[in-house]
Amino acid sequence: MVSIEPSKDDAFLDLLLSAFGDSVLLGESIPASCHSDWTGHAACRPLALVRPTSTQEVSKLLQLCNQHRRAVVPQGGMTGLAGGAVPTAESVALSLIKLSGVENVDQDAATLTVRAGTTLQAVQDAAIEAGFCYPIDFGARGSCQIGGTLSTNAGGHGVIRHGMTRDRVLGLEVVLADGRILDLMNSMIKNNTGYDLKHCFIGAEGTLGVITRAVLRLAPPQRESRTLLCALRDYPAAVSLLHRLRGTGLALEAFEVMWQDFYAMSCEWQSNQSPLPPSYPLYVLCEVEGDASHLEMVLAAALETGEVQDAVMASTIKQAQELWAIREATGEFPVKLAPINFDISLPIAKIGDFVEAAGKLLTHRWPGIRIVNFGHIGDSNLHLTVDSNSLTENTSATHHAIETDIYGLVGEYRGSISAEHGIGLLKREFLHHSVRPEALNVMHALKQTFDPNNILNPGKVLS
C-alpha cells in the first residue's frame, strides 16, 4: 500500500483502510484503467479504489461513504462510451472486479444467477455449458461486466430477436446509497406483485443503487446459423429486405447495416480482399437461423426484384468470421480514428433520411469532414461516427458544436440521443432532446428518493 501526504482526506482514508484493508488502493497503486472508460474522457485518478468481495462489503462501503458524504463511482469493465464510470479526484471508485462468479444455473427455469463483476463472456460460456445461451452479445464481451451491462441496459447484435438487457433480467440484488440491501432476486417469469423495482436500476448507470447480483433469463441454444452479406441500392431496399426476412419464418439473429463510407473504410483495414465491391450505397450483414435452402430461396427472390444487388453467403465458420470482421472494425476506431461517436435511435423509416440530413448538415459547416454510418436498424439503432482528424479546427469547441447539431437533429426526428450506451457525462446536457420536462422532473424525484445525499455517481445522467 502506498503512503500519501497528510491532507484533509486522511481521516476518511484511515476509515477506509481500517474497514477494507488490502481491498483499498491509493495513489499510484490505482490502475490507469480505472481513471476513465474507453472514451478516455476526463481521465482522473480517484481518491481511492475499493474492491469489495461481497455484497455485505459493498453495503458497508456505501454506508460509510454516505455518512461522510463521499461520492462513489461504480466501475465495471470500463468499456463504456459515455463517461458513466469516470471518477473525480474526490470520489471513491467502487470496482466490482472481485465480486464475480456464476452462482447457479437453473435448467428447469432456464435462468442463471450471477454476481455483478462477472464478465459477459463468462456468463455466455456458463450458459452454453448448461445447454442454453445468453443472447446479449457485443464486441467487449471479454472485458465488460454484467453489472455494467445491466446499469447501461446494453444492447448489441441480437436485440432484434432477444431484446435489450432489460428483457433478460428476472431479478436483482441492489445496494442502496445508505447501505441497505434490496433483495429483488426473483426467479419467476410471472410475478405480478406491485411495482417492479428492478427496472429502476437497469439503465440507471449506478446513480440510484449498486447492482451486486442478478437472475438472468437464458435462451435455447442457437441452432445452425447462416451469415449473409448483401449489397443494396438504397436505404428503402434495406427496410424491404428486413420485412422480407422477418416474414419468411426464418429466425433473424442480426441485421447490421453499413453505409458505403463505413464498408469501404473497414474493407481497407482488412488484410483480405473485399467480399463485395465497395461501390454500392449500402450493405447489410445478416445472421439467420434456419435451413440454408430456405434462405437461398428468399435471397434469390430479393435478387430477382432488385432489392438486393449482390450477395455472398458464408459456407464456413471462418468465412462467417471474416464477414463479421468487417462490421466489428469499430474496435479499431480508437486506434485508427479520432472518433466522435453517436449512438442514437430513430424511427426505422426515417433512418435513411436522417443519415442524409446529418451528412449535409455537417459537411456544410465543416467541408472535408469524414463521417461513417452503420447500425442495427432492425432495432432502430444508428451509429454515426465523425473522425475528428478530418477537421480543420480539431478543438473541443468544434466537437461540442458537432454534438449540438447532431443531437438537435435527433430531437427534430423525435429520436433518442442514446440507443445502448447510456447518458453518463457526455450526453447529459443533451438529454432534453429526448426526455420531456415532465419526465425529467420525475427522474430527479427518483434520484432524490433513492440517493438524497447525491453520493452515487453524482453528475452522471442528471445534472
Side-chain angles (χ1 to χ4, degrees):
M1 194 64 60
V2 300
S3 60
I4 61 170
E5 294 297 323
S7 73
K8 63 180 181 180
D9 297 318
D10 278 0
F12 177 71
L13 291 176
D14 285 344
L15 288 172
L16 278 182
L17 291 167
S18 175
F20 301 100
D22 291 341
S23 292
V24 180
L25 297 181
L26 304 175
E28 294 183 0
S29 294
I30 300 174
S33 59
C34 296
H35 297 181
S36 187
D37 60 12
W38 272 7
T39 65
H41 177 77
C44 179
R45 180 192 295 162
L47 177 68
L49 174 69
V50 183
R51 302 167 298 171
T53 59
S54 68
T55 299
Q56 288 67 34
E57 285 192 353
V58 175
S59 171
K60 185 177 178 181
L61 174 64
L62 292 189
Q63 188 175 12
L64 180 64
C65 290
N66 192 54
Q67 180 182 350
H68 291 269
R69 304 297 191 266
R70 293 285 179 164
V72 178
V73 180
Q75 295 186 337
M78 304 303 284
T79 61
L81 293 173
V86 176
T88 64
E90 298 79 28
S91 66
V92 174
L94 167 56
S95 171
L96 297 174
I97 192 168
K98 290 187 175 182
L99 194 65
S100 65
V102 173
E103 296 183 344
N104 178 55
V105 178
D106 185 335
Q107 293 184 313
D108 294 330
T111 64
L112 180 149
T113 302
V114 63
R115 302 171 98 194
T118 311
T119 65
L120 174 58
Q121 181 77 66
V123 169
Q124 291 174 336
D125 291 345
I128 291 171
E129 185 177 349
F132 298 93
C133 80
Y134 182 64
I136 303 298
D137 186 42
F138 38 86
R141 64 186 70 85
S143 304
C144 68
Q145 296 175 8
I146 286 298
T149 68
L150 294 166
S151 294
T152 57
N153 188 30
H157 304 315
V159 171
I160 190 171
R161 182 178 180 187
H162 301 286
M164 300 282 282
T165 294
R166 184 184 302 278
D167 300 302
R168 311 306 308 178
V169 181
L170 288 178
L172 292 179
E173 177 183 76
V174 182
V175 182
L176 300 180
D178 59 7
R180 284 178 293 166
I181 299 172
L182 201 57
D183 183 353
L184 307 172
M185 291 290 283
N186 168 68
S187 60
M188 300 166 290
I189 293 176
K190 287 188 173 181
N191 184 358
N192 214 6
T193 50
Y195 306 138
D196 196 349
L197 294 178
K198 68 176 181 288
H199 290 297
C200 293
F201 305 98
I202 302 171
E205 301 182 51
T207 62
L208 301 181
V210 177
I211 296 170
T212 50
R213 294 166 69 222
V215 180
L216 306 175
R217 294 180 63 188
L218 303 178
Q222 187 173 343
R223 295 179 295 160
E224 187 175 5
S225 63
R226 315 288 170 181
T227 303
L228 176 69
L229 178 67
C230 301
L232 288 78
R233 62 176 182 266
D234 53 25
Y235 180 77
V239 177
S240 295
L241 180 61
L242 176 64
H243 289 320
R244 180 185 294 275
L245 290 170
R246 279 175 161 169
T248 59
L250 294 166
L252 191 57
E253 285 282 339
F255 192 84
E256 303 289 308
V257 176
M258 299 170 281
W259 275 255
Q260 184 183 31
D261 44 40
F262 178 92
Y263 180 84
M265 179 190 69
S266 179
C267 288
E268 184 182 324
W269 292 353
Q270 307 296 320
S271 58
N272 298 327
Q273 187 175 359
S274 304
L276 293 174
S279 55
Y280 293 98
L282 213 68
Y283 299 81
V284 170
L285 181 65
C286 306
E287 191 80 23
V288 181
E289 187 180 286
D291 181 69
S293 59
H294 188 182
L295 178 58
E296 288 169 357
M297 290 176 56
V298 173
L299 177 59
L303 285 164
E304 185 177 349
T305 63
E307 195 171 271
V308 172
Q309 301 289 296
D310 199 356
V312 58
M313 186 185 300
S315 58
T316 66
I317 293 176
K318 184 176 183 295
Q319 289 178 356
Q321 291 171 340
E322 289 172 351
L323 293 180
W324 270 105
I326 300 172
R327 168 59 181 82
E328 293 183 345
T330 52
E332 296 294 312
F333 276 16
V335 177
K336 297 186 176 181
L337 306 176
I340 306 173
N341 295 308
F342 295 93
D343 155 49
I344 55 183
S345 278
L346 299 148
I348 291 175
K350 296 183 178 180
I351 290 178
D353 293 337
F354 180 92
V355 168
E356 185 176 347
K360 288 180 179 178
L361 176 64
L362 295 182
T363 54
H364 176 73
R365 290 194 61 182
W366 297 279
I369 191 172
R370 186 182 193 186
I371 310 164
V372 292
N373 298 275
F374 57 101
H376 340 276
I377 71 160
D379 54 35
S380 302
N381 189 182
L382 172 70
H383 295 283
L384 182 155
T385 294
V386 171
D387 182 7
S388 63
N389 286 332
S390 65
L391 298 170
T392 304
E393 294 185 10
N394 189 4
T395 65
S396 58
T398 303
H399 291 203
H400 187 267
I402 291 171
E403 290 170 345
T404 300
D405 281 354
I406 291 297
Y407 290 132
L409 189 63
V410 170
E412 292 178 20
Y413 276 73
R414 296 302 298 268
S416 167
I417 66 166
S418 180
E420 57 183 356
H421 292 150
I423 300 299
L425 282 173
L426 300 184
K427 300 183 181 183
R428 186 183 61 189
E429 70 172 286
F430 305 108
L431 190 57
H432 66 278
H433 288 303
S434 297
V435 182
R436 301 297 174 258
E438 296 79 10
L440 277 172
N441 289 338
V442 173
M443 289 170 67
H444 280 284
L446 277 175
K447 174 67 172 174
Q448 178 62 28
T449 298
F450 282 108
D451 182 20
N453 294 322
N454 193 30
I455 70 158
L456 288 177
N457 223 3
K460 313 296 172 53
V461 183
L462 299 173
S463 55

